[in-house]
């Protein structure tokens, strides 16, 4: 496979990435018509037939283009963009990330805005369930079975990249199986605000009201963005009431629960709590490993169990980070014609973490520092001996792992071979001693400096 063939395939993946992280309309507007002329492993030459697009992309979106491609390339590349007047190379091959006819059909197959996030593979069956998302999965399944009944609204909250979009798409996909003509509107809290402002400026608020109050399912992503905006909250209050009274399903997502959304009107906060509130937390080690195995299986690549465990131990932020690691490993393996071994995984991990050392390395440093200070080995910390010296070293190790790596209590429990409640208790005990004894605070501070170097 030539460099040009490789970059054409990688560009298709990068284009889909931009569509997912921005919107399909944004990606189509600025990047769909770009052509690739050459790639030598270090520099990619793009061109556009529009000088207007050339100026906008070069001044505003070149870094986005570069970052999207870097997700799938083994090293950083330079990008040269040619405009209509600057185009000197005859186009060798047109890159069309998506078939135009298929895209048009896709756009008309779904309801307003839903094509931005819709993925037919987002189903309940292929959503991997663990302790951190079990309740949210059950809540969404219940809503899909009986929309606008017991759990209306459904409010899902949690950090970005943990599966909220997958679940809300799964709800709609399931409902549409039974009732294909169900009308769905998907919009972000920010876009809802922008469209309301535009309708007020055009003196066309009636159309705005009718559009949002005539759907069967209203999905609003990042609802926290309407907080503090008086007119938007007023409009959404009436939209919410109209839909709820007509027994239409309302599904909201946020990065925090209603009670923690500052400047949110109390009447909206109360309504958000009428139905069911479900949270999604970062996946624990067991769930991350399961997700890695599933993603590897879907990507049809071979990665040994020890490499998968290494990646799962160190990539703990969100599912997108896991997906990014699989894509980067796959691309590196393809371009470098190399087996995905521990060396390649460590190299990839270093890039994903921005040069930070793996969590497992930091944990090993913590065990070593505690041994050097108190003479208590890793095996004794993992053991059941409750001698005061060993018990204190164990509690301190747990505290340091939590403070330095920010690993979850279940993950720390896996490392020290203790249950979740023991880990929490140990962490709290050390915290109390630090508060009451300045010497202990100083002692732990010195340990942290030694570990972090």
């Amino acid at each position: 496979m030539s460099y040009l063939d490789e970059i054409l395939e990688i560009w298709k993946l990068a284009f889909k990435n931009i569509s997912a992280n921005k919107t399909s309309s944004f990606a189509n507007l600025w990047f769909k018509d770009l052509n690739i002329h050459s790639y030598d492993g270090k520099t990619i030459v793009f061109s556009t037939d529009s000088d207007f697009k050339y100026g906008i992309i070069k001044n505003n979106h070149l870094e986005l283009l570069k970052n999207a491609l870097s997700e799938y390339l083994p090293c950083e590349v330079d990008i040269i963009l040619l405009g209509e007047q600057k185009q000197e190379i005859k186009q060798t091959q047109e890159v069309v990330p998506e078939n135009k006819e298929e895209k048009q059909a896709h756009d008309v197959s779904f309801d307003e805005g839903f094509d931005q996030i819709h993925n037919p593979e987002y189903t309940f069956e292929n959503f991997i369930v663990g302790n951190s998302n079990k309740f949210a999965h059950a809540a969404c399944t219940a809503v899909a079975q009986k929309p606008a009944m017991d759990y209306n609204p459904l409010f899902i909250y949690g950090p970005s990249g943990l599966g909220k979009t997958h679940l809300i798409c799964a709800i709609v996909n399931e409902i549409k199986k039974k009732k294909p003509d169900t009308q769905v509107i998907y919009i972000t809290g920010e876009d809802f605000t922008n469209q309301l402002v535009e309708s007020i400026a055009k003196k066309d608020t009636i159309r705005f009201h009718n559009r949002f109050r005539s759907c069967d399912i209203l999905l609003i992503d990042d609802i926290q963005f309407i907080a503090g905006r008086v007119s938007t909250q007023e409009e959404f209050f009436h939209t919410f009431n109209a839909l709820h009274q007509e027994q239409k399903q309302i599904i909201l997502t946020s990065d925090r629960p209603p009670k923690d959304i500052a400047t949110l009107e109390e009447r909206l906060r109360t309504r958000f709590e009428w139905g069911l509130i479900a949270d999604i937390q970062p996946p624990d080690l067991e769930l991350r490993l399961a997700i890695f195995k599933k993603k590897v299986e879907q990507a049809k690549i071979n990665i040994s169990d020890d490499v998968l465990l290494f990646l799962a131990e160190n990539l703990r932020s969100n599912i997108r980070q896991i997906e990014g690691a699989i894509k980067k490993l796959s691309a590196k393996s393809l371009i470098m014609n190399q087996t995905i071994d521990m060396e390649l995984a460590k190299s990839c991990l270093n890039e994903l973490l921005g040069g930070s050392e793996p969590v497992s390395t930091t944990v090993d440093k913590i065990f070593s520092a505690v041994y050097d200070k108190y003479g208590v080995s890793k095996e004794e910390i993992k053991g059941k001996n409750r001698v005061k010296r060993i018990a204190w070293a164990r509690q301190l190790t747990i505290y340091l792992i939590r403070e330095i790596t920010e690993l979850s209590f279940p993950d720390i429990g896996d490392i020290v071979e203790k249950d979740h409640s023991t880990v929490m208790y140990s962490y709290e005990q050390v915290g109390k001693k630090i508060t009451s004894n300045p010497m202990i605070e100083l002692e732990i501070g010195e340990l942290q400096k030694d570990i972090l170097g």
Side-chain angles (χ1 to χ4, degrees):
M1 183 182 287
S2 68
Y3 271 136
L4 184 59
D5 289 334
E6 288 174 6
I7 202 61
L8 289 170
E9 292 302 314
I10 288 172
W11 170 230
K12 291 178 184 178
L13 296 173
F15 180 88
K16 289 180 180 178
N17 192 355
I18 294 171
S19 298
N21 290 329
K22 291 289 188 176
T23 64
S24 58
S25 58
F26 174 91
N28 287 332
L29 175 62
W30 299 113
F31 300 123
K32 185 173 182 180
D33 296 330
L34 287 183
N35 299 313
I36 291 179
H37 289 287
S38 65
Y39 172 56
D40 59 6
K42 295 181 180 178
T43 304
I44 306 172
V45 179
F46 282 94
S47 75
T48 173
D49 293 335
S50 166
D51 274 345
F52 171 71
K53 287 188 179 181
Y54 168 82
I56 296 295
I57 295 171
K58 183 165 184 175
N59 294 327
N60 301 293
H61 304 315
L62 209 57
E63 195 65 27
L64 171 65
L65 187 63
K66 190 174 182 179
N67 290 340
L69 285 159
S70 70
E71 288 288 325
Y72 307 94
L73 291 168
C75 60
E76 190 170 322
V77 294
D78 292 322
I79 291 178
I80 295 176
L81 180 64
L82 304 175
E84 185 178 10
Q85 303 304 319
K86 298 176 175 62
Q87 189 168 331
E88 299 174 353
I89 309 170
K90 186 177 179 181
Q91 179 179 332
T92 55
Q93 186 169 354
E94 183 180 4
V95 180
V96 183
E98 292 184 74
N99 181 279
K100 188 175 181 181
E101 292 180 3
E102 289 178 353
K103 179 62 185 171
Q104 288 174 342
H106 176 77
D107 281 342
V108 300
S109 297
F110 299 101
D111 305 280
E112 185 175 345
F114 190 53
D115 65 312
Q116 294 179 23
I117 61 166
H118 178 261
N119 185 333
E121 294 182 2
Y122 283 164
T123 65
F124 293 120
E125 289 74 19
N126 61 24
F127 185 84
I128 303 174
V129 182
N131 291 329
S132 61
N133 59 27
K134 187 187 301 181
F135 181 66
H137 177 266
C140 292
T141 303
V143 168
Q145 291 172 349
K146 293 182 178 181
M149 295 292 286
D150 298 326
Y151 308 124
N152 194 23
L154 174 63
F155 191 105
I156 307 171
Y157 74 91
S160 177
L162 298 184
K164 296 193 297 294
T165 299
H166 186 137
L167 285 175
I168 64 176
C169 281
I171 293 173
V172 177
N173 286 336
E174 189 68 22
I175 291 173
K176 284 218 172 237
K177 280 183 189 177
K178 302 170 186 175
K179 293 184 178 181
D181 59 344
T182 300
Q183 296 299 307
V184 180
I185 289 181
Y186 167 84
I187 193 168
T188 65
E190 189 169 18
D191 283 344
F192 184 86
T193 301
N194 293 338
Q195 290 187 24
L196 173 62
V197 171
E198 185 179 356
S199 73
I200 293 172
K202 293 181 177 180
K203 298 181 180 179
D204 194 17
T205 54
I206 293 177
R207 182 181 297 180
F208 181 90
H209 298 163
N210 293 339
R211 182 155 54 95
F212 283 99
R213 298 176 194 182
S214 61
C215 63
D216 298 308
I217 302 176
L218 176 61
L219 305 169
I220 298 195
D221 221 348
D222 293 324
I223 192 65
Q224 72 271 9
F225 281 109
I226 75 169
R229 293 165 173 171
V230 178
S231 297
T232 305
Q233 292 188 82
E234 176 73 21
E235 176 60 32
F236 186 68
F237 174 77
H238 294 298
T239 297
F240 182 102
N241 287 345
L243 290 172
H244 199 274
Q245 287 168 10
E246 291 294 323
Q247 293 189 313
K248 307 298 185 181
Q249 181 67 53
I250 303 163
I251 301 172
L252 311 171
T253 75
S254 173
D255 61 355
R256 70 205 80 161
K259 64 182 179 63
D260 292 340
I261 301 177
T263 66
L264 181 68
E265 290 182 3
E266 187 59 32
R267 58 179 178 171
L268 278 179
R269 196 189 317 278
T270 302
R271 277 160 177 74
F272 291 172
E273 294 172 349
W274 273 0
L276 184 65
I277 298 175
D279 70 318
I280 301 181
Q281 296 301 320
D284 57 20
L285 177 61
E286 184 180 30
L287 181 55
R288 293 199 303 274
L289 187 56
I291 293 170
F292 260 114
K293 288 183 176 180
K294 183 69 173 179
K295 297 296 181 183
V296 164
E297 181 184 321
Q298 291 172 343
K300 296 180 180 179
I301 56 177
N302 294 318
I303 302 181
S304 64
D305 287 345
D306 60 331
V307 171
L308 285 177
L309 180 59
F310 170 77
L311 291 169
E313 285 176 339
N314 291 284
L315 294 173
R316 49 193 166 79
S317 295
N318 56 53
I319 297 167
R320 286 179 192 154
Q321 189 184 51
I322 292 173
E323 291 174 336
I326 296 298
K327 290 173 183 175
K328 190 174 280 287
L329 279 170
S330 179
K332 275 194 168 189
S333 175
L334 173 68
I335 293 170
M336 299 169 68
N337 193 26
Q338 181 178 341
T339 302
I340 300 176
D341 55 13
M342 190 65 78
E343 182 181 351
L344 186 64
K346 288 181 178 179
S347 170
C348 176
L349 187 70
N350 189 55
E351 293 174 16
L352 288 166
L353 297 179
S356 302
E357 67 181 12
V359 175
S360 56
T361 302
T362 305
V363 170
D364 286 341
K365 285 184 177 180
I366 292 171
F367 277 117
S368 296
V370 171
Y371 177 75
D372 292 342
K373 181 75 174 179
Y374 303 101
V376 178
S377 68
K378 180 192 292 188
E379 289 70 27
E380 288 176 307
I381 289 171
K382 291 182 176 182
K384 297 180 179 180
N385 194 322
R386 296 186 180 181
V387 172
K388 188 175 182 180
R389 176 178 63 89
I390 296 176
W392 167 244
R394 184 180 297 128
Q395 289 182 342
L396 186 56
T397 300
I398 288 169
Y399 180 85
L400 289 168
I401 293 175
R402 175 69 172 177
E403 286 294 302
I404 295 173
T405 70
E406 297 182 354
L407 282 172
S408 67
F409 290 127
D411 282 350
I412 298 172
D414 291 336
I415 292 170
V416 299
E417 298 179 6
K418 298 290 178 285
D419 61 43
H420 175 262
S421 58
T422 299
V423 171
M424 284 188 66
Y425 175 79
S426 297
Y427 178 79
E428 290 169 359
Q429 288 299 110
V430 176
K432 289 177 182 177
K433 288 180 180 178
I434 289 173
T435 303
S436 61
N437 191 333
M439 293 304 296
I440 289 180
E441 183 179 13
L442 181 62
E443 184 178 314
I444 292 174
E446 290 175 351
L447 267 174
Q448 287 179 310
K449 286 182 183 177
D450 291 341
I451 293 162
L452 296 174

